[in-house]
Amino acid sequence: MLKHQPLIRVERKGSGKSERPAEFDPAASKGLWDDDMQRDLPKKWERHGDMIVFPRNSFTHNNWRFIGRELWRVVAESLNVARLGRKRIIDDEDDRTPHVDLLYGDHGWVEHVDDRGIRFIYDASKRVFNNKKLPEMQRISEWDCHGQTIVDMYAGLGYYSLRFLVCCGAKQVVSIDWSDDMCEALRRTAEANNVEDRMVVIEGDSRRVTPCQVADRVFLGLVPSCRAHWLTACKALKQEGGMLHIHEMIDINTKTPPKKVEPLDLFRAPPPRLQSVDEEGSSKENKPITGKSNSSPPKDMAEKGQVKRQLSRSQSIVEEIESRVLPTPKVLKDFEQGEWKSLAEPYKEFAMDCATNCTRFLNNIHFSDTMYCVTIVNITKYGGISKKSDHVALDLMCCKEDMAIEKMVARYLTLNHSST
């Protein structure tokens, strides 16, 4: 049973023409009414149980402000609801600022029930449910994750975390978000769906708080890019490997695409200095260090032979790592013979770049005689906010070279036929 007060069910968008009050007595009584205010009244809105959310371009006339809170009381009574809200203009979808301003009522907590019967509980004055995530949520629902531990690095309202728990049968999901409001929503949602014993909610920057070597799958659903977090995702995978699900916005309108570089060529060239596993977040990530070092001994000392090069054991290991030829990323045979052939170059280049970097990260993290190899399993396209970009989800399978690919496919690519 929920410990907090009962919350509200969310209904679909609908027109409320029949519910709109014919007039607003406060405006007329104060002599503030004019024709512009009539055009300013909303013609449709979203109803969330006993809460209505108006479009952002409604009630914007200056005269509404002179009426005061009496306006919202009259509107709420006319529409027979207890709470009112209005959408706020959000320039950047990734900026986690409130999406709705609460105009009338004590709180903005509501409940949304999706197509699988999962109950999402959240404060509508902090974040609204994003229906654009539904296609990926439906794709996830088909996976069989029984016995697996999932790390959701940008959990938000739990769009993907709850699908892994309820539909895929995951053993445990680690849901990470840097917003305390989102973490509170995650806890309430987990409790409402009776999965609180299988969800671990962690608040903070995922690059700092993500646990290491615990995950069978790591889900990176941040757009436009989560490139800066690839290393963290690799560190979160178990030592035997697992799956990475990486989202990205790709520029598909490049008139002169860069020359395609085969993954093997990246390792035939003089190898760059490998990034330390503690260097993530640096603006120089994944880039070789250029320029001259300032640590060279003075020329006169070198000539006198007073300085001798002494390599520590750690320096020797670094040199050995840098001199290795890493495995070339692969493409899963079934995918290579099918959709891979028809993909445009920007998609292939992104997939190869991501797989190449993850190969390097994994072999740097787990330094052993048996190297890690990354296989491109699938690329799913979801479209973008413009014709110049496309939102894609890349699935990578990471494992040691001596691991049978058939075993990995059976473990991670089996569909959950029991899902409904």
Side-chain angles (χ1 to χ4, degrees):
M1 181 178 295
L2 295 177
K3 299 178 181 178
H4 48 80
Q5 58 182 320
L7 300 174
I8 312 302
R9 294 178 63 88
V10 173
E11 301 175 3
R12 294 179 178 272
K13 288 185 180 181
S15 174
K17 292 183 179 179
S18 61
E19 301 178 56
R20 184 163 58 116
E23 60 181 355
F24 290 91
D25 291 338
S29 63
K30 295 185 179 182
L32 299 174
W33 185 261
D34 62 29
D35 293 338
D36 290 337
M37 296 176 69
Q38 176 68 35
R39 290 189 290 269
D40 200 33
L41 294 176
K43 297 180 176 60
K44 61 180 181 179
W45 47 77
E46 298 176 20
R47 188 180 182 106
H48 301 251
D50 71 344
M51 180 178 181
I52 280 181
V53 178
F54 295 118
R56 65 190 185 193
N57 59 351
S58 58
F59 296 106
T60 58
H61 196 283
N62 288 334
N63 285 1
W64 296 120
R65 293 184 297 176
F66 296 117
I67 301 175
R69 288 188 57 83
E70 184 182 0
L71 166 67
W72 307 124
R73 180 187 62 79
V74 172
V75 174
E77 291 178 356
S78 301
L79 298 177
N80 194 27
V81 293
R83 296 173 293 163
L84 299 172
R86 179 173 54 199
K87 287 188 176 181
R88 180 188 298 186
I89 298 176
I90 301 296
D91 295 327
D92 186 357
E93 181 66 21
D94 297 314
D95 184 11
R96 300 188 174 190
T97 53
H99 287 204
V100 173
D101 288 320
L102 188 64
L103 302 175
Y104 185 78
D106 297 330
H107 64 87
W109 287 96
V110 297
E111 177 180 308
H112 171 81
V113 182
D114 71 2
D115 60 323
R116 292 299 183 98
I118 300 175
R119 301 167 61 191
F120 292 89
I121 298 174
Y122 56 94
D123 188 343
S125 66
K126 305 295 183 182
R127 177 67 65 87
V128 294
F129 193 87
N130 188 352
N131 289 303
K132 294 181 180 180
K133 297 183 182 292
L134 287 175
E136 179 70 346
M137 293 167 64
Q138 293 169 353
R139 187 175 80 102
I140 290 174
S141 300
E142 299 177 354
W143 300 344
D144 185 358
C145 301
H146 285 82
Q148 297 180 12
T149 298
I150 318 295
V151 172
D152 186 357
M153 290 180 60
Y154 325 99
L157 295 180
Y159 305 100
Y160 309 124
S161 294
L162 269 296
R163 290 282 172 146
F164 280 119
L165 288 168
V166 177
C167 301
C168 305
K171 177 182 177 181
Q172 185 181 64
V173 172
V174 179
S175 302
I176 304 171
D177 200 280
W178 63 9
S179 167
D180 55 349
D181 295 317
M182 295 302 103
C183 289
E184 176 62 20
L186 284 168
R187 296 185 186 98
R188 295 194 182 197
T189 297
E191 186 179 354
N193 292 278
N194 299 316
V195 294
E196 64 270 24
D197 58 331
R198 293 190 289 137
M199 176 185 280
V200 178
V201 179
I202 300 178
E203 180 181 343
D205 186 339
S206 58
R207 287 173 293 185
R208 297 180 179 273
V209 301
T210 299
C212 296
Q213 299 187 28
V214 299
D216 297 286
R217 297 177 189 263
V218 181
F219 197 90
L220 300 91
L222 181 67
V223 290
S225 178
C226 55
R227 177 180 291 267
H229 299 179
W230 291 354
L231 175 56
T232 302
C234 290
K235 290 194 288 185
L237 286 177
K238 291 181 178 179
Q239 190 168 0
E240 60 266 29
M243 293 289 296
L244 298 176
H245 306 284
I246 300 174
H247 286 237
E248 185 87 4
M249 293 294 294
I250 296 179
D251 183 4
I252 59 176
N253 200 33
T254 305
K255 295 182 180 179
T256 56
K259 182 180 179 181
K260 182 179 178 181
V261 179
E262 295 297 333
L264 188 58
D265 293 340
L266 297 174
F267 305 108
R268 287 176 178 170
R273 182 185 72 88
L274 284 180
Q275 178 189 12
S276 166
V277 294
D278 295 324
E279 290 181 13
E280 185 185 15
S282 169
S283 60
K284 298 181 180 180
E285 183 178 10
N286 302 339
K287 297 181 181 179
I289 292 182
T290 58
K292 297 182 179 180
S293 172
N294 294 326
S295 60
S296 301
K299 184 177 180 180
D300 56 343
M301 294 180 64
E303 291 176 349
K304 294 179 181 179
Q306 296 179 0
V307 177
K308 296 182 179 180
R309 186 183 181 194
Q310 296 180 350
L311 293 178
S312 65
R313 183 173 181 274
S314 60
Q315 288 175 317
S316 300
I317 293 175
V318 170
E319 286 194 348
E320 184 177 351
I321 292 175
E322 291 178 343
S323 64
R324 292 184 302 171
V325 177
L326 301 180
T328 303
K330 303 176 182 178
V331 181
L332 192 67
K333 185 176 180 180
D334 292 343
F335 182 56
E336 183 178 22
Q337 295 176 350
E339 297 179 17
W340 178 260
K341 294 181 179 179
S342 61
L343 284 175
E345 285 304 313
Y347 300 96
K348 293 182 179 180
E349 289 169 1
F350 165 70
M352 281 297 182
D353 176 55
C354 185
T356 300
N357 277 280
C358 290
T359 299
R360 183 162 59 90
F361 290 148
L362 287 167
N363 285 286
N364 194 10
I365 296 167
H366 308 286
F367 183 62
S368 63
D369 294 335
T370 305
M371 291 192 178
Y372 286 79
C373 183
V374 176
T375 302
I376 299 170
V377 173
N378 186 52
I379 298 179
T380 304
K381 297 187 289 185
Y382 289 119
I385 57 177
S386 68
K387 295 181 179 180
K388 297 181 180 180
S389 62
D390 197 1
H391 176 192
V392 301
L394 172 66
D395 301 325
L396 300 178
M397 183 186 297
C398 311
C399 63
K400 292 184 177 181
E401 282 188 302
D402 58 359
M403 176 70 72
I405 191 67
E406 294 80 8
K407 182 177 180 180
M408 296 293 291
V409 169
R411 180 175 183 182
Y412 293 108
L413 302 185
T414 301
L415 296 181
N416 184 13
H417 297 292
S418 62
S419 64
T420 56

